Amino acid sequence: MTDRPSPGHPTAEAIAVLDFGSQYAQLIVRRVRECNVYCRLFPWDVPAERLAAFHPQGIILSGGPASVYGEGAPQLQQHVLDLGKPILGICYGMQALAHLLGGQVSRAPRREYGQASLDTIAADSPLFEGLPAPQSVWMSHGDQVTALPPGFRAIAASDNSPIAAMADARGRIYGLQFHPEVAHTPQGTKLLRNFLYRVCGCHGLWTASSFITEAIAQIREQVGESRAVCGLSGGVDSSVAAALVERAIGDRLTCIFVDHGFLRKDEAKNNMAAFLQYLGSEVIYVDAEARFMGALAGVSEPEEKRRRIGETFVRVFERTAEEVGQADFLVQGTLYPDVIESAGTGRSSARIKTHHNVGGLPEDMRFKLVEPLRDLFKDEVRRVGIELGLPKHIVYRQPFPGPGLAVRIMGEVTRDRLDRLREADAIVTSEIEAWNASAAGLGGDGAAGMPRQYFAVLPSVKSVGVMGDERTYAELVGIRAVTTEDFMTADWARLPYDLLARMASRIVNEVSGVNRVVYDITSKPPGTIEWE
């Protein structure tokens, strides 16, 4: 996939988001796409040629932790303005605009973090059309614009920010001191939609159907008459990727399901049964547990685990592909957050972790990659899966990392520890799903109140316990359950106490080698959903 959609295709209208180091940069992209407009994230110092080649209809500048007057702070590049496209600066993005265009940015007399009431000064501004006044917004800043650039006017204010929003005289460049992309700004998506539709002239043509049409055409162009193999895990990402490639090249796709030995209880059997129902392509089962266990022998460091698992996956694919006929391409269900978290978007963004399908691939891999979902977020992949006709139990299956239980075990992975975690995880899954079904049967929210992801982890921790009047020294199991809309941010699920007690009791009594259970109440950020 290239930065830019095919010319003339419905997704040819697009928005560029420049990342100045904001924790919300990905969220801006997601909010824009929720408005059915294609969007991509670029580093703040993206070269002029690359940005121009994207042909954006508008540009959004993200927030960031720096001060524009600080040494080494990222600065807005003049070539961004030279494109002559509508611009929306958010928080630091607004300050970068003001700084470049001759305004003044200073340390605020009082920092502003959290909810604020926004009063509209310019009722005629297209950004605020149809929005209530005043409205609640989310602030997070220590600096603020204290003098407008020439030709600009203030269009909104809060108690602590007299210039909480600004616009130039032509109404094509805007700045917001608050964050419209976060859920804490209730009208934020509507404001972004106003920018996209009323200022940039977008029409909202980015849909699951248009994506499928374009993806199939690109796959056919890339693969030609060659064959491809797909690493099929049973999760929504690889399943949707396989279904897309199958539509594009038919029986020249062979799917390979690798049982690396790190799967959940009964997962291999259940996955193979599901593949036969919804995939027309050949699916080959490969038992590679011994090979993967050998690759991880003595390894405790998380990044090294992911790297070795990624390399072993590729070697298994290469060997299996040779057995079924020459294949030049490897299909992966890589998503947009995988790419961003593995590499960041530039000097102001950090690599969070190496995903086995991105940074963990060997340099001498002989396959060429086909990654039709590389531009999508998880919720977009689900919409594509439904559009393709995949069964709901596959599309809405909770995420499971490619390296499987190997990255839910801290420290060395052994067969005993895998069996221990597999049994504990099965208890967590069965109890939470039974609780959800019971809530629905009693007229509760059911799926609406269900955590989006839940599992057990095995930290490298032992503790003292008393079982049967005897002292024990055994492992600890952690339970993780989160609620989230997009898996980019998440909050810990407020599970009922009796459910937590039941899971803890069962794990301690039914899983050998465990004498203590804890519940993870960390949100993302600052934590990640997975522990490794």
Side-chain angles (χ1 to χ4, degrees):
M1 295 277 182
T2 60
D3 282 342
R4 184 65 179 152
S6 304
H9 191 271
T11 57
E13 60 175 27
I15 298 294
V17 175
L18 304 192
D19 182 10
F20 286 85
S22 172
Q23 61 178 313
Y24 302 130
Q26 288 190 50
L27 191 54
I28 299 171
V29 176
R30 185 177 182 274
R31 294 291 182 243
V32 171
R33 292 188 184 185
E34 285 178 352
C35 297
N36 294 329
V37 177
Y38 183 73
C39 186
R40 280 192 67 86
L41 190 63
F42 295 89
W44 63 269
D45 56 352
V46 57
E49 300 77 13
R50 185 182 175 196
L51 184 61
F54 187 65
H55 300 293
Q57 284 190 233
I59 298 169
I60 298 177
L61 314 177
S62 84
S67 294
V68 291
Y69 46 77
E71 184 179 353
Q75 302 293 338
L76 179 60
Q77 308 295 296
Q78 181 61 44
H79 68 76
V80 176
L81 296 175
D82 292 343
L83 285 177
K85 301 297 182 181
I87 296 176
L88 176 66
I90 297 174
C91 198
Y92 185 90
M94 171 180 173
Q95 297 162 15
L97 272 169
H99 185 68
L100 178 64
L101 293 173
Q104 183 175 343
V105 179
S106 307
R107 177 67 65 183
R110 180 167 56 89
R111 293 184 179 185
E112 195 170 21
Y113 296 103
Q115 223 69 46
S117 179
L118 186 78
D119 293 311
T120 303
I121 297 174
D124 60 336
S125 172
L127 279 191
F128 299 125
E129 187 170 335
L131 302 185
Q135 62 172 296
S136 181
V137 298
W138 183 261
M139 295 282 192
S140 180
H141 66 98
D143 295 342
Q144 63 185 24
V145 175
T146 51
L148 288 164
F152 278 73
R153 60 172 177 159
I155 59 174
S158 70
D159 289 342
N160 195 49
S161 298
I163 308 174
M166 67 181 191
D168 73 335
R170 296 181 306 147
R172 301 262 295 176
I173 301 180
Y174 295 87
L176 305 174
Q177 187 58 73
F178 58 93
H179 288 271
E181 71 274 23
V182 301
H184 299 297
T185 300
Q187 304 297 322
T189 299
K190 292 181 180 178
L191 188 152
L192 289 173
R193 185 180 179 88
N194 281 343
F195 175 72
L196 299 172
Y197 283 70
R198 301 184 184 281
V199 179
C200 299
C202 296
H203 297 87
L205 302 175
W206 168 249
T207 64
S209 178
S210 67
F211 170 81
I212 290 170
T213 300
E214 182 181 16
I216 288 174
Q218 289 187 353
I219 292 166
R220 286 173 177 164
E221 180 180 357
Q222 180 183 6
V223 176
E225 296 303 315
S226 299
R227 297 187 60 84
V229 291
C230 175
L232 197 56
S233 69
V236 61
D237 304 337
S238 63
S239 297
V240 172
L244 271 174
V245 175
E246 184 181 45
R247 282 203 180 187
I249 66 173
D251 61 6
R252 286 183 286 120
L253 171 68
T254 299
C255 294
I256 301 173
F257 173 55
V258 176
D259 184 353
H260 47 27
F262 310 141
L263 298 174
R264 291 169 289 196
K265 190 172 184 178
D266 297 327
E267 190 161 17
K269 177 181 67 177
N270 295 337
N271 281 350
M272 287 301 294
F275 298 153
L276 294 175
Q277 290 181 348
Y278 74 83
L279 271 182
S281 299
E282 180 184 16
V283 181
I284 297 175
Y285 173 81
V286 180
D287 182 354
E289 179 180 2
R291 183 164 181 173
F292 278 88
M293 289 296 295
L296 292 190
V299 177
S300 298
E301 204 277 321
E303 287 290 289
E304 182 64 13
K305 283 183 189 176
R306 290 176 180 272
R307 189 194 67 77
R308 292 196 183 197
I309 289 171
E311 180 173 356
T312 306
F313 260 121
V314 172
R315 299 312 178 204
V316 171
F317 288 142
E318 287 178 336
R319 184 188 64 187
T320 308
E322 291 173 358
E323 295 173 356
V324 301
Q326 186 62 35
D328 298 321
F329 292 90
L330 169 62
V331 179
Q332 291 197 141
T334 306
L335 304 190
Y336 198 32
D338 296 343
V339 178
I340 294 173
E341 288 187 346
S342 293
T345 57
R347 284 182 283 166
S348 298
S349 300
R351 176 168 59 85
I352 298 173
K353 60 184 175 182
T354 298
H355 289 261
H356 75 283
N357 55 341
V358 182
L361 298 175
E363 294 182 1
D364 62 344
M365 181 180 72
R366 71 170 182 83
F367 290 117
K368 301 170 187 175
L369 291 179
V370 178
E371 297 177 311
L373 310 179
R374 192 179 178 89
D375 285 339
L376 300 189
F377 292 102
K378 180 74 74 174
D379 57 322
E380 294 172 327
V381 173
R382 296 190 196 282
R383 288 198 291 271
V384 170
I386 292 296
E387 187 75 18
L388 288 169
L390 296 183
K392 289 187 176 181
H393 71 274
I394 292 292
V395 172
Y396 292 105
R397 180 190 185 199
Q398 63 162 316
F400 186 61
L405 299 181
V407 292
R408 290 180 178 172
I409 292 177
M410 280 83 262
E412 185 177 1
V413 178
T414 66
R415 281 188 169 82
D416 284 346
R417 300 191 78 206
L418 275 169
D419 290 341
R420 191 167 295 140
L421 178 58
R422 193 172 283 121
E423 291 301 320
D425 186 78
I427 291 171
V428 170
T429 299
S430 64
E431 287 291 345
I432 290 181
E433 291 181 352
W435 162 73
N436 182 64
S438 175
L442 294 173
D445 287 340
M450 184 77 158
R452 297 290 298 278
Q453 194 168 359
Y454 41 94
F455 52 89
V457 294
L458 199 62
S460 189
V461 174
K462 286 188 173 183
S463 69
V464 173
V466 178
M467 301 176 73
D469 295 327
E470 293 184 0
R471 181 184 185 277
T472 62
Y473 189 58
E475 290 209 80
L476 174 151
V477 165
I479 297 175
R480 181 73 158 145
V482 298
T483 59
T484 179
E485 291 183 4
D486 48 34
F487 295 93
M488 293 183 294
T489 61
D491 194 13
W492 61 278
R494 272 62 170 177
L495 298 180
Y497 290 155
D498 59 344
L499 173 60
L500 291 171
R502 191 161 56 249
M503 288 190 291
S505 177
R506 284 193 60 192
I507 289 171
V508 169
N509 283 284
E510 298 176 26
V511 181
S512 175
V514 176
N515 67 357
R516 191 179 298 270
V517 176
V518 297
Y519 187 50
D520 184 349
I521 58 170
T522 311
S523 298
K524 175 188 179 181
T528 56
I529 295 178
E530 297 289 343
W531 279 34
E532 282 200 356

